[in-house]
Amino acid sequence: MVLSAIYILDMKGKVLICRNYRGDIENNVIDKFIGLVMDREDEGQITPLIQTEEAAFAYIKHKNLYVVATTKKNSNIVMIFSLLHKICSVFESYFKDVEEESIRDNFVIIYELLDELVDFGYPQTTDGQILQEYITQEGHRLEVALKPPPAVTNAVSWRPEGLKYRKNEVFLDVIESVDLLAGASGNVLRSEIVGCIKMRVYLSGMPELRLGLNDKVLFESTGRGKSKSVELEDVKFHQCVRLSRFDNDRTISFIPPDGEFELMSYRLNTHVKPLIWIESVIERHAHSRIEYMVKAKSQFKRRSTANNVEIIIPVPSDASAPKFKTTIGHCKYAPELGAIVWNIKSFPGGKEYLMRAHLSLPSVEGDITEGKPPIQVKFEIPYFTTSGIQVRYLKIIEKSGYQALPWVRYITQNGDYQLRTT
Amino acid sequence: MTDSKYFTTTKKGEIFELKSELNSDKKEKKREAVKKVIASMTVGKDVSALFPDVANCMQTDNLELKKLVYLYLMNYAKSQPDMAIMAVNTFVKDCEDPNPLIRALAVRTMGCIRVDKITEYLCEPLRKCLKDDDPYVRKTAAVSVAKLHDINAALVEEQGFLDSLKDLLSDSNPMVVANAVAALSEINEASATGRPLIEMNAPTINKLLTALNECTEWGQVFILDSLSNYTPKDEREAQSICERITPRLAHANAAVVLSAVKVLMKYMEMMGQDAEFVVSLSKKLAPPLVTLLSSEPEVQYVALRNINLIIQKRPDILKHEMKVFFVKYNDPIYVKLEKLDIMIRLASQNNIAQVLSELKEYATEVDVDFVRKSVRAIGRCAIKVEQSAERCVSTLLDLIQTKVNYVVQEAIVVIKDIFRKYPNKYESIIATLCENLDTLDEPEARASMIWIIGEYAERIDNADELLESFLDSFQDENTQVQLQLLTAIVKLFLKRPTDTQELVQQVLSLATQDSDNPDLRDRGFIYWRLLSTDPAAAKEVVLAEKPLISEETDLIEPTLLDELICHIASLASVYHKPPTAFVEGTGGLKRALPSRSGEEDASVMATGGASASVIPEPGSLIGDLLSMDIGGGGSTAGAGGTGNVDILGGGLDILGGTAPSAPVSEPLRYDSEESNSTDKSNAIRNTVIRLQSTNSLLGDIFGLSGTSSTTFHIPPKQVWLPAPKGKGMEISGTFSRKNGQIHMVLTFSNKAMQPMNQFAVQLNKNSFGLIPAQALNVPNIPPNQSLDISLPLNTNGPVQKMEPLTNLQVAIKNNIDVFYFACVMPIHVFFTEDGNMEKKVFLATWKDIPSANEVQFTLENIECNADGVSTKMNQNNVFTVAKRHLEGQDMVYQSMKFTNDVWALAELKIQPGNPSVTLAIKSRALDVCHSIFAIYDTILHN
C-alpha cells in the first residue's frame, strides 16, 4: 500500500539522509540506486520508477538532489510521487533552498519533519504552515507546553486558530497562463488556458469565505444565461474548498488557510487567437551562415499591453558572430540557451514588429544532428484575462463581524508557449 | 548556526569522546553529543556501541533531544535487542505523559522498534492510546496497530486490537478514521487466508464517505483506496457511492483524483452500460484525466500509463481528446513515449490527418528511441485506419528517402505489416525497399525484408540473387533471420521451381545439418519432407492464404485488464502487470471487477463491449510459421482458430492419391514445447495424424455396440450454500441422470435455531435450458435436521449461454430469506441415451466439421485399457462407435449427443502401458469441448 523508506541523495548517489519507516527493506538497497539510474540513462530508457528484485524505487530530481522512495508492495504510486514533491515544498517552507548543503545544515529538523510527515509509510500532516507551529528550529523545553495544534487533526487542518490582524485584508490574483503549440506550417495544434486564483489572506479568526465567479454552469442554472460568463472545463480546488457543495450548487465556499495559497485552478479549451504570434523564415546556408527573419504580432486588444516580452529563437550550437537588426527592443545571443533572445519591454496590442538576425556557421560540420527546438515566447499582460473570467464577489463572514477588504488583480501570461520552426 | 558542524568530528577516539560527552552532567553538552551521534549515524558510521549511553539520555524534558534519542533507538534496537528492553520503561512512562505530543511520539516509536520482546510491553500502552482523549494520539495509535500486526499478527488478534480499530472507524475525528482505514486495509491485505479479517458493510462505508469530506488529502486517498476494495451489494448502492465520490475529481491532489477514478471505474461495471448515469459519469471523467497531464512529469507518467488502461476499458472517455497527447519538445522522454502509445490507441478516421502530421514531425527529431517509435506508429496507423493507409505509406517512403539508418529499418519493419494487411496494394514500392538492403543491420529489419522478398518472389526479378546474398553469411545471422531466410527460399522455390532448386537445397542442408538450433532444424525437416513427398501439398501449405492481421496492437488481455483497472494508481497499473508478478507473497487476493447483478447477461463485463482480438505479449507471441517470426511487432493475427484455412480437406485429397499407409518415415511431430507451436504446424500435424485415423476408419469396419448403462457417474455432493451465508441453511448437492431425466440431488441441513419451511426453487436462465420439472417438495425442517431430496429437471426452459457453459445459478427461498448461489453441472448429465452415432454418419460428420473446431487434450494417468475406457464411458452415455489397433496404439472413436441435439465426436489414442491418452474432440459447438474433456478426466479417474 505504501512506501517503505525515504532517501535524499546527492547527484553521485550518496545518501545524505534517510528514514526507514517500515524496516522491510535493507538500508543498503539504496546503494544500487544510482547505478540503476545511470544504466537506464545510457540505454535511453529512463523512467521515474525502477523496479528491482528487492524493491521499487520511485524518485524525483530536485535541484542537485535525488529524493527517492522505496516500496516493496503494490503501492499507490501517484500518492508517493505527490508526497515526494510535497516533502520538497515543506522543506522549502523551512529553509528556502533545498539542496545538498541545506540538507546537511538542517538534518536535525529534517529528521523531526520526516517523523511527522509520514508514519509507517502513510503520509500524515504535510502542511508546512501547520507543521511550523509545533516543529520549530529551537529546541523547546517541555515547560513551554508545546502541544499538537488542533489543526493537525481538525476538519480544518490548514488554518491555525486564534489569528489576529489589525487590518483584515484579502488579495486575489487571477492568473491565466496560455499554453500554445503551433506547427511549423503556422497551424495551431493545441491551445489552452490554464488559470489559477491565488490568494493572500490576512484575516482574523475563522472566517467563512464565499467566492462568486461568472461561471457559465452557475449562470445557466440560475437563469442568468445571457450575461457574459465563462465555461470552466475542469476545476481543481485547494483542500479547503467544500467539494460536495461545489458539486451541488457550484458555490465556492471555504475557510481559507492563513497567508498565501492557491485557491483553485481551472482549464479552458476554448479556441482563442494566439496572443502573440510569431512567423519565422530561416535560411540556412550550410558551411557559411544562417539567417533569421522573425515577425512578432500582438493579437489582443489595443488597450492592453504585453510587458517584458521575451522571444527565444533557438540557433545551431555551432553558430557564431551574431548580428541583429530590429525595429524595437533589443536582441542578444545567449549561448547557454543555444538561442537568440529578443526582448521587448512593452508590446501594445495590434502591433507588428520585425527582427533580422545573421549568424556564421563553421565550414566544417559536426557529426551530431541537432533537434529542432521550437521558438518560445514569454510575456505578461496585466489587467486582462483571455477567458473573460471575473470575480463577482468575495463574501467574508466572521463571527466577530469585522469588515474586510478584498482586492482583485488580473494578469495573463505565457504558459508552455511553443511554436515549431521549419 | 547550522547543523553541519556535527559532521566534522575527529576520527580517532571518536566513540570514546562521544561516550564521555553523553554522560556529561551538562544538558547542553549532552544534547550536542546526541546530535553528533545522529550525524555519524546519518553518514553511515556504526555508532551502535553507544547504545546504553544514548538510551540513558532518553529521560529528558527536552522534546528535540527526546526525538533524536528515539530515532537512534529505532535504528539500532534490532541489533541490540537486549539493551532495547532497557528503554521500555521510559516508553511506557511517556505513553502516560500529560503532553499528547509525547504520548503520540512514544506509541509511534515503540511500534517501529521491531524487537519481539518489546511488542508484549507495547500492548497495554497501545490499548490506552487507542482510547486517548486527544485525536492526535488516537490517529497515531491506529497506525501503530498496523505496525504491531506486521511484527506479530497473532498478538493483534489475541489482544482484540482489530475490534478497537474497527471502533475507530466511527471516531468523531476524520483523521483518526482515515488512519484506521489505512491500518485496516493493510491488515486485510496481509491476511494469510486471503480473506479480509474485517468485512466492510454498508454502515461502515457510510461513515467513511462522511469522513471523506473532512479529512486531509492523504486521508482521502486512504479512504478511496479502501472503497475500491469494497463491492457494493447492488447497482443502487454503487450509484449512490459514485455520486458521493464524484466531487473528489475536482481535488488539486493528483492522488485523490486517480484514486477516485479507480473507484468509479470499478463501480461503473455494476451498472447497465447504456444507463444515463454511466454515460454522464464517463463524461465527467475526461476533464480531470486531461488535467493530470499538467502535473509534475512523474505524475504525468503514471497518469499516462493509467489512461492507457482506461481507454482500453472505455474507449469513449477520451476519444475527443487526441490533441492533449501531442508531444511537447521539452517533455521527458518517458512521457513522450507514453503519449505516443496513447495517440495510436486514439487514432481514428476523424483525427488521422492530424495524428499523421504530428508523427511525421516526431520522426525527424533527434532522440533515437522516440523516432523509432514514431515511425512504427505511422505503420500502426496505416493498419488501424484503412483510409489513411496510402498517406502512411507515402510518409514512410519519404522517411526511407532520408536514408537515416534506424529510420529506414523501422520503416521496413512496419511496411511488412502493411503488406499483410493490404495485400496486392502497395507492392509497387518493393523496388525502393530493395535499394536499402545493404543498410539493414538489425535482425528484425533484415528478417522483415527477407519476408517481403519471399512473399513477393514472383514479382522481384532478382529475388534469387537477393536471397542468395544473405545465404553466404547464414551461420552468422540471428535465428530470426535464419528462420525467415529458410521460409523465404522455400516460397521462392515453390513459385519458381525451375531455377532455384540449388538454392533451396543449399538452405535446407544449412538448416538441417549445420545448425544446432532445434527450431531451425525441425522447420528445415518439415519443409524438406513436404517438398520431397508432395510438392503440390507443400504449395498448399506454405503458400496458403494468410489470415488477416489484427488492427489493435498490444491490447491487454481482458481478464488482466479488468484486474489492472482495480489497481489504478498503483505500481501494477504502471507496469501493466498483476501485483503477483512483482510483489512477494501477495496472498490469494486477486482483484476482479464486480459483475453486474440482476438478470441481464453476465458476459457483458467480461469483454467490456467491443472486443478486439488480443495480441499476446511478445514473449508468448504465436508467430506464423510460414510468414513471420518477428516477435516484437505483435501485429500477427491472434493464434488458434482464426487461421482456418482448410488444410485438412486438401490434405485428405492428397492422400486419396497415395497409398493407404501414409509415407511417414519419421514421426512428423512438431514439438510444441520446443517452440511455440504455430497455426500452420498444428495444421500440418493434424493433417498427418488425421490421415492415419481416417484411413483406419475407412479400412476397418469392426465396431462395438455400447453396453447398457448401469453405473452412471454421479459426482460427490458439494456444499453449494454454506450455513453462514444461508442464515443457517446449508445446501449441498450434485447432479445425476436417471431414466433419461436429469435430477438435482440436494441435501438441506438446518443449522439455525428455528424451523425452516416454505421452500421454493428457481433456476436462472442457463446454457441448456434447465428448469425444475416440479415444485420443490420440502416439508418443514426442524433445527439440526437435514433432508435429502431429488429434484427432476427438464431441459425445455429459456436458454442463455453461461460462462462457463455448465454454470447454473440457483435461487432457493424459505421462510427466512431468499438465497442465491451458483454451481457447476457435470456436462455428462446432458448426454442423451440415443447418442450412439452410426459409423458412416460418424465418418462423414468428422470430415464435415472444420478442423478449426477440433480441440486436443491429453488425459494423464489413465490406468484402464481401451476396453475399460469404452465401458466406463458407455455407462455415461458416451458411445463407442469404432475401435481399432494401429501401430501399437488403440484408437477409440466415440460419439455423444446433448439434450439440445448438439453432437460431439471424440477420438482417443491409447498406447498400452502409457498412462497418457490423447483425446481429440470435434464439435460444431466448440464451447463444449473443454467441459467434455473435464468429464472424461473425471470419469476415467473414478
Side-chain angles (χ1 to χ4, degrees), chain B residues 350-376:
Chain B
N350 299 325
N351 55 25
I352 193 73
Q354 268 185 328
V355 173
L356 210 55
S357 80
E358 277 296 297
L359 292 176
K360 202 174 165 183
E361 185 81 32
Y362 303 160
T364 60
E365 287 220 20
V366 274
D367 190 291
V368 176
D369 288 310
F370 181 55
V371 170
R372 279 175 181 275
K373 200 159 180 177
S374 305
V375 175
R376 245 173 226 244

PDB file of all heavy atoms in Angstrom, chain B residues 350-376:
ATOM      1  N   ASN B 350     -11.393  10.111 -37.924  1.00  0.00           N
ATOM      2  CA  ASN B 350     -11.666  11.541 -37.745  1.00  0.00           C
ATOM      3  C   ASN B 350     -10.416  12.371 -37.497  1.00  0.00           C
ATOM      4  O   ASN B 350     -10.365  13.532 -37.847  1.00  0.00           O
ATOM      5  CB  ASN B 350     -12.615  11.753 -36.563  1.00  0.00           C
ATOM      6  CG  ASN B 350     -13.916  11.064 -36.802  1.00  0.00           C
ATOM      7  OD1 ASN B 350     -14.382  10.997 -37.931  1.00  0.00           O
ATOM      8  ND2 ASN B 350     -14.481  10.494 -35.745  1.00  0.00           N
ATOM      9  N   ASN B 351      -9.455  11.775 -36.832  1.00  0.00           N
ATOM     10  CA  ASN B 351      -8.317  12.607 -36.437  1.00  0.00           C
ATOM     11  C   ASN B 351      -7.021  12.175 -37.101  1.00  0.00           C
ATOM     12  O   ASN B 351      -5.958  12.688 -36.784  1.00  0.00           O
ATOM     13  CB  ASN B 351      -8.157  12.586 -34.903  1.00  0.00           C
ATOM     14  CG  ASN B 351      -8.048  11.167 -34.378  1.00  0.00           C
ATOM     15  OD1 ASN B 351      -7.637  10.257 -35.084  1.00  0.00           O
ATOM     16  ND2 ASN B 351      -8.412  10.974 -33.121  1.00  0.00           N
ATOM     17  N   ILE B 352      -7.111  11.239 -38.034  1.00  0.00           N
ATOM     18  CA  ILE B 352      -5.890  10.624 -38.534  1.00  0.00           C
ATOM     19  C   ILE B 352      -4.974  11.630 -39.239  1.00  0.00           C
ATOM     20  O   ILE B 352      -3.744  11.524 -39.149  1.00  0.00           O
ATOM     21  CB  ILE B 352      -6.221   9.427 -39.460  1.00  0.00           C
ATOM     22  CG1 ILE B 352      -4.970   8.598 -39.728  1.00  0.00           C
ATOM     23  CG2 ILE B 352      -6.842   9.881 -40.771  1.00  0.00           C
ATOM     24  CD1 ILE B 352      -4.526   7.791 -38.569  1.00  0.00           C
ATOM     25  N   ALA B 353      -5.550  12.625 -39.899  1.00  0.00           N
ATOM     26  CA  ALA B 353      -4.715  13.580 -40.622  1.00  0.00           C
ATOM     27  C   ALA B 353      -3.785  14.309 -39.663  1.00  0.00           C
ATOM     28  O   ALA B 353      -2.579  14.419 -39.896  1.00  0.00           O
ATOM     29  CB  ALA B 353      -5.601  14.571 -41.362  1.00  0.00           C
ATOM     30  N   GLN B 354      -4.364  14.778 -38.572  1.00  0.00           N
ATOM     31  CA  GLN B 354      -3.566  15.480 -37.569  1.00  0.00           C
ATOM     32  C   GLN B 354      -2.503  14.583 -36.966  1.00  0.00           C
ATOM     33  O   GLN B 354      -1.353  14.983 -36.807  1.00  0.00           O
ATOM     34  CB  GLN B 354      -4.490  15.907 -36.435  1.00  0.00           C
ATOM     35  CG  GLN B 354      -5.053  17.266 -36.620  1.00  0.00           C
ATOM     36  CD  GLN B 354      -5.845  17.644 -35.396  1.00  0.00           C
ATOM     37  OE1 GLN B 354      -6.444  16.786 -34.746  1.00  0.00           O
ATOM     38  NE2 GLN B 354      -5.843  18.906 -35.074  1.00  0.00           N
ATOM     39  N   VAL B 355      -2.930  13.366 -36.623  1.00  0.00           N
ATOM     40  CA  VAL B 355      -2.009  12.440 -35.987  1.00  0.00           C
ATOM     41  C   VAL B 355      -0.823  12.182 -36.892  1.00  0.00           C
ATOM     42  O   VAL B 355       0.336  12.213 -36.468  1.00  0.00           O
ATOM     43  CB  VAL B 355      -2.731  11.109 -35.677  1.00  0.00           C
ATOM     44  CG1 VAL B 355      -1.754  10.073 -35.183  1.00  0.00           C
ATOM     45  CG2 VAL B 355      -3.815  11.338 -34.658  1.00  0.00           C
ATOM     46  N   LEU B 356      -1.129  11.973 -38.136  1.00  0.00           N
ATOM     47  CA  LEU B 356      -0.071  11.623 -39.070  1.00  0.00           C
ATOM     48  C   LEU B 356       0.931  12.757 -39.230  1.00  0.00           C
ATOM     49  O   LEU B 356       2.137  12.534 -39.255  1.00  0.00           O
ATOM     50  CB  LEU B 356      -0.713  11.278 -40.420  1.00  0.00           C
ATOM     51  CG  LEU B 356       0.045  10.278 -41.254  1.00  0.00           C
ATOM     52  CD1 LEU B 356       0.299   9.010 -40.463  1.00  0.00           C
ATOM     53  CD2 LEU B 356      -0.761   9.942 -42.499  1.00  0.00           C
ATOM     54  N   SER B 357       0.426  13.999 -39.301  1.00  0.00           N
ATOM     55  CA  SER B 357       1.377  15.090 -39.494  1.00  0.00           C
ATOM     56  C   SER B 357       2.219  15.275 -38.237  1.00  0.00           C
ATOM     57  O   SER B 357       3.386  15.642 -38.319  1.00  0.00           O
ATOM     58  CB  SER B 357       0.650  16.373 -39.891  1.00  0.00           C
ATOM     59  OG  SER B 357       0.105  16.987 -38.758  1.00  0.00           O
ATOM     60  N   GLU B 358       1.640  14.982 -37.079  1.00  0.00           N
ATOM     61  CA  GLU B 358       2.441  15.015 -35.850  1.00  0.00           C
ATOM     62  C   GLU B 358       3.530  13.947 -35.884  1.00  0.00           C
ATOM     63  O   GLU B 358       4.688  14.223 -35.623  1.00  0.00           O
ATOM     64  CB  GLU B 358       1.545  14.770 -34.624  1.00  0.00           C
ATOM     65  CG  GLU B 358       0.819  15.979 -34.113  1.00  0.00           C
ATOM     66  CD  GLU B 358       1.752  17.053 -33.598  1.00  0.00           C
ATOM     67  OE1 GLU B 358       2.483  16.838 -32.618  1.00  0.00           O
ATOM     68  OE2 GLU B 358       1.747  18.124 -34.221  1.00  0.00           O
ATOM     69  N   LEU B 359       3.127  12.729 -36.223  1.00  0.00           N
ATOM     70  CA  LEU B 359       4.079  11.623 -36.212  1.00  0.00           C
ATOM     71  C   LEU B 359       5.241  11.895 -37.167  1.00  0.00           C
ATOM     72  O   LEU B 359       6.389  11.580 -36.875  1.00  0.00           O
ATOM     73  CB  LEU B 359       3.373  10.314 -36.593  1.00  0.00           C
ATOM     74  CG  LEU B 359       2.367   9.790 -35.573  1.00  0.00           C
ATOM     75  CD1 LEU B 359       1.657   8.556 -36.097  1.00  0.00           C
ATOM     76  CD2 LEU B 359       3.061   9.461 -34.249  1.00  0.00           C
ATOM     77  N   LYS B 360       4.901  12.500 -38.298  1.00  0.00           N
ATOM     78  CA  LYS B 360       5.946  12.812 -39.261  1.00  0.00           C
ATOM     79  C   LYS B 360       6.939  13.803 -38.647  1.00  0.00           C
ATOM     80  O   LYS B 360       8.149  13.680 -38.808  1.00  0.00           O
ATOM     81  CB  LYS B 360       5.294  13.412 -40.509  1.00  0.00           C
ATOM     82  CG  LYS B 360       6.140  13.292 -41.741  1.00  0.00           C
ATOM     83  CD  LYS B 360       5.375  13.766 -42.950  1.00  0.00           C
ATOM     84  CE  LYS B 360       6.327  13.991 -44.115  1.00  0.00           C
ATOM     85  NZ  LYS B 360       5.622  14.528 -45.279  1.00  0.00           N
ATOM     86  N   GLU B 361       6.397  14.765 -37.935  1.00  0.00           N
ATOM     87  CA  GLU B 361       7.227  15.750 -37.242  1.00  0.00           C
ATOM     88  C   GLU B 361       8.156  15.043 -36.248  1.00  0.00           C
ATOM     89  O   GLU B 361       9.348  15.313 -36.189  1.00  0.00           O
ATOM     90  CB  GLU B 361       6.281  16.708 -36.507  1.00  0.00           C
ATOM     91  CG  GLU B 361       6.931  17.876 -35.828  1.00  0.00           C
ATOM     92  CD  GLU B 361       7.247  18.998 -36.798  1.00  0.00           C
ATOM     93  OE1 GLU B 361       6.487  19.170 -37.775  1.00  0.00           O
ATOM     94  OE2 GLU B 361       8.261  19.684 -36.580  1.00  0.00           O
ATOM     95  N   TYR B 362       7.581  14.113 -35.469  1.00  0.00           N
ATOM     96  CA  TYR B 362       8.378  13.421 -34.451  1.00  0.00           C
ATOM     97  C   TYR B 362       9.489  12.591 -35.081  1.00  0.00           C
ATOM     98  O   TYR B 362      10.560  12.435 -34.500  1.00  0.00           O
ATOM     99  CB  TYR B 362       7.511  12.467 -33.608  1.00  0.00           C
ATOM    100  CG  TYR B 362       6.331  13.123 -32.916  1.00  0.00           C
ATOM    101  CD1 TYR B 362       5.256  12.361 -32.481  1.00  0.00           C
ATOM    102  CD2 TYR B 362       6.291  14.489 -32.689  1.00  0.00           C
ATOM    103  CE1 TYR B 362       4.173  12.935 -31.856  1.00  0.00           C
ATOM    104  CE2 TYR B 362       5.206  15.084 -32.072  1.00  0.00           C
ATOM    105  CZ  TYR B 362       4.149  14.303 -31.660  1.00  0.00           C
ATOM    106  OH  TYR B 362       3.079  14.879 -31.046  1.00  0.00           O
ATOM    107  N   ALA B 363       9.207  12.047 -36.279  1.00  0.00           N
ATOM    108  CA  ALA B 363      10.174  11.154 -36.910  1.00  0.00           C
ATOM    109  C   ALA B 363      11.438  11.887 -37.321  1.00  0.00           C
ATOM    110  O   ALA B 363      12.425  11.270 -37.696  1.00  0.00           O
ATOM    111  CB  ALA B 363       9.546  10.467 -38.113  1.00  0.00           C
ATOM    112  N   THR B 364      11.413  13.217 -37.263  1.00  0.00           N
ATOM    113  CA  THR B 364      12.626  13.950 -37.614  1.00  0.00           C
ATOM    114  C   THR B 364      13.318  14.511 -36.382  1.00  0.00           C
ATOM    115  O   THR B 364      14.219  15.326 -36.487  1.00  0.00           O
ATOM    116  CB  THR B 364      12.293  15.123 -38.556  1.00  0.00           C
ATOM    117  OG1 THR B 364      11.386  15.994 -37.870  1.00  0.00           O
ATOM    118  CG2 THR B 364      11.634  14.635 -39.815  1.00  0.00           C
ATOM    119  N   GLU B 365      12.890  14.083 -35.212  1.00  0.00           N
ATOM    120  CA  GLU B 365      13.560  14.572 -34.003  1.00  0.00           C
ATOM    121  C   GLU B 365      14.891  13.860 -33.799  1.00  0.00           C
ATOM    122  O   GLU B 365      15.295  13.035 -34.631  1.00  0.00           O
ATOM    123  CB  GLU B 365      12.647  14.346 -32.794  1.00  0.00           C
ATOM    124  CG  GLU B 365      11.480  15.308 -32.788  1.00  0.00           C
ATOM    125  CD  GLU B 365      11.187  15.814 -31.399  1.00  0.00           C
ATOM    126  OE1 GLU B 365      12.069  15.734 -30.533  1.00  0.00           O
ATOM    127  OE2 GLU B 365      10.056  16.286 -31.170  1.00  0.00           O
ATOM    128  N   VAL B 366      15.551  14.136 -32.685  1.00  0.00           N
ATOM    129  CA  VAL B 366      16.882  13.568 -32.513  1.00  0.00           C
ATOM    130  C   VAL B 366      16.916  12.320 -31.639  1.00  0.00           C
ATOM    131  O   VAL B 366      17.787  11.479 -31.794  1.00  0.00           O
ATOM    132  CB  VAL B 366      17.864  14.592 -31.909  1.00  0.00           C
ATOM    133  CG1 VAL B 366      18.464  15.419 -33.001  1.00  0.00           C
ATOM    134  CG2 VAL B 366      17.207  15.434 -30.858  1.00  0.00           C
ATOM    135  N   ASP B 367      15.990  12.198 -30.727  1.00  0.00           N
ATOM    136  CA  ASP B 367      16.043  11.070 -29.808  1.00  0.00           C
ATOM    137  C   ASP B 367      15.702   9.769 -30.543  1.00  0.00           C
ATOM    138  O   ASP B 367      14.593   9.595 -31.034  1.00  0.00           O
ATOM    139  CB  ASP B 367      15.062  11.298 -28.665  1.00  0.00           C
ATOM    140  CG  ASP B 367      15.255  10.280 -27.573  1.00  0.00           C
ATOM    141  OD1 ASP B 367      14.948   9.093 -27.791  1.00  0.00           O
ATOM    142  OD2 ASP B 367      15.737  10.676 -26.509  1.00  0.00           O
ATOM    143  N   VAL B 368      16.689   8.854 -30.599  1.00  0.00           N
ATOM    144  CA  VAL B 368      16.540   7.665 -31.444  1.00  0.00           C
ATOM    145  C   VAL B 368      15.327   6.820 -31.047  1.00  0.00           C
ATOM    146  O   VAL B 368      14.529   6.429 -31.895  1.00  0.00           O
ATOM    147  CB  VAL B 368      17.822   6.818 -31.395  1.00  0.00           C
ATOM    148  CG1 VAL B 368      17.618   5.538 -32.198  1.00  0.00           C
ATOM    149  CG2 VAL B 368      18.990   7.610 -31.941  1.00  0.00           C
ATOM    150  N   ASP B 369      15.164   6.559 -29.756  1.00  0.00           N
ATOM    151  CA  ASP B 369      14.054   5.700 -29.332  1.00  0.00           C
ATOM    152  C   ASP B 369      12.713   6.300 -29.710  1.00  0.00           C
ATOM    153  O   ASP B 369      11.800   5.614 -30.135  1.00  0.00           O
ATOM    154  CB  ASP B 369      14.088   5.501 -27.812  1.00  0.00           C
ATOM    155  CG  ASP B 369      15.223   4.607 -27.416  1.00  0.00           C
ATOM    156  OD1 ASP B 369      15.337   3.525 -28.023  1.00  0.00           O
ATOM    157  OD2 ASP B 369      16.003   4.988 -26.530  1.00  0.00           O
ATOM    158  N   PHE B 370      12.641   7.602 -29.521  1.00  0.00           N
ATOM    159  CA  PHE B 370      11.397   8.289 -29.816  1.00  0.00           C
ATOM    160  C   PHE B 370      11.107   8.267 -31.317  1.00  0.00           C
ATOM    161  O   PHE B 370       9.985   8.009 -31.740  1.00  0.00           O
ATOM    162  CB  PHE B 370      11.481   9.725 -29.293  1.00  0.00           C
ATOM    163  CG  PHE B 370      10.248  10.529 -29.517  1.00  0.00           C
ATOM    164  CD1 PHE B 370       9.023  10.078 -29.060  1.00  0.00           C
ATOM    165  CD2 PHE B 370      10.307  11.743 -30.185  1.00  0.00           C
ATOM    166  CE1 PHE B 370       7.879  10.825 -29.262  1.00  0.00           C
ATOM    167  CE2 PHE B 370       9.167  12.487 -30.385  1.00  0.00           C
ATOM    168  CZ  PHE B 370       7.945  12.030 -29.930  1.00  0.00           C
ATOM    169  N   VAL B 371      12.144   8.487 -32.101  1.00  0.00           N
ATOM    170  CA  VAL B 371      11.972   8.484 -33.551  1.00  0.00           C
ATOM    171  C   VAL B 371      11.527   7.102 -34.020  1.00  0.00           C
ATOM    172  O   VAL B 371      10.571   6.962 -34.784  1.00  0.00           O
ATOM    173  CB  VAL B 371      13.294   8.880 -34.245  1.00  0.00           C
ATOM    174  CG1 VAL B 371      13.197   8.638 -35.743  1.00  0.00           C
ATOM    175  CG2 VAL B 371      13.611  10.333 -33.953  1.00  0.00           C
ATOM    176  N   ARG B 372      12.192   6.066 -33.526  1.00  0.00           N
ATOM    177  CA  ARG B 372      11.823   4.698 -33.905  1.00  0.00           C
ATOM    178  C   ARG B 372      10.359   4.429 -33.610  1.00  0.00           C
ATOM    179  O   ARG B 372       9.622   3.905 -34.429  1.00  0.00           O
ATOM    180  CB  ARG B 372      12.639   3.700 -33.082  1.00  0.00           C
ATOM    181  CG  ARG B 372      14.021   3.455 -33.592  1.00  0.00           C
ATOM    182  CD  ARG B 372      14.731   2.544 -32.592  1.00  0.00           C
ATOM    183  NE  ARG B 372      16.086   2.284 -32.996  1.00  0.00           N
ATOM    184  CZ  ARG B 372      16.433   1.337 -33.846  1.00  0.00           C
ATOM    185  NH1 ARG B 372      15.517   0.564 -34.381  1.00  0.00           N
ATOM    186  NH2 ARG B 372      17.695   1.163 -34.189  1.00  0.00           N
ATOM    187  N   LYS B 373       9.971   4.793 -32.419  1.00  0.00           N
ATOM    188  CA  LYS B 373       8.597   4.505 -32.030  1.00  0.00           C
ATOM    189  C   LYS B 373       7.615   5.306 -32.889  1.00  0.00           C
ATOM    190  O   LYS B 373       6.529   4.829 -33.195  1.00  0.00           O
ATOM    191  CB  LYS B 373       8.406   4.831 -30.542  1.00  0.00           C
ATOM    192  CG  LYS B 373       7.202   4.131 -29.976  1.00  0.00           C
ATOM    193  CD  LYS B 373       7.252   4.005 -28.477  1.00  0.00           C
ATOM    194  CE  LYS B 373       5.997   3.299 -28.008  1.00  0.00           C
ATOM    195  NZ  LYS B 373       5.968   3.071 -26.583  1.00  0.00           N
ATOM    196  N   SER B 374       8.020   6.504 -33.263  1.00  0.00           N
ATOM    197  CA  SER B 374       7.145   7.320 -34.107  1.00  0.00           C
ATOM    198  C   SER B 374       6.965   6.678 -35.470  1.00  0.00           C
ATOM    199  O   SER B 374       5.860   6.660 -36.013  1.00  0.00           O
ATOM    200  CB  SER B 374       7.727   8.719 -34.275  1.00  0.00           C
ATOM    201  OG  SER B 374       7.969   9.295 -33.032  1.00  0.00           O
ATOM    202  N   VAL B 375       8.063   6.162 -36.026  1.00  0.00           N
ATOM    203  CA  VAL B 375       7.976   5.523 -37.340  1.00  0.00           C
ATOM    204  C   VAL B 375       7.048   4.317 -37.247  1.00  0.00           C
ATOM    205  O   VAL B 375       6.169   4.105 -38.076  1.00  0.00           O
ATOM    206  CB  VAL B 375       9.371   5.098 -37.828  1.00  0.00           C
ATOM    207  CG1 VAL B 375       9.260   4.334 -39.142  1.00  0.00           C
ATOM    208  CG2 VAL B 375      10.268   6.307 -37.992  1.00  0.00           C
ATOM    209  N   ARG B 376       7.241   3.539 -36.213  1.00  0.00           N
ATOM    210  CA  ARG B 376       6.380   2.376 -36.015  1.00  0.00           C
ATOM    211  C   ARG B 376       4.919   2.803 -35.885  1.00  0.00           C
ATOM    212  O   ARG B 376       4.020   2.143 -36.390  1.00  0.00           O
ATOM    213  CB  ARG B 376       6.790   1.648 -34.739  1.00  0.00           C
ATOM    214  CG  ARG B 376       7.316   0.262 -35.037  1.00  0.00           C
ATOM    215  CD  ARG B 376       7.883  -0.371 -33.794  1.00  0.00           C
ATOM    216  NE  ARG B 376       9.169  -0.950 -34.144  1.00  0.00           N
ATOM    217  CZ  ARG B 376       9.421  -2.253 -34.089  1.00  0.00           C
ATOM    218  NH1 ARG B 376       8.489  -3.080 -33.699  1.00  0.00           N
ATOM    219  NH2 ARG B 376      10.594  -2.720 -34.430  1.00  0.00           N
TER     220      ARG B 376
END
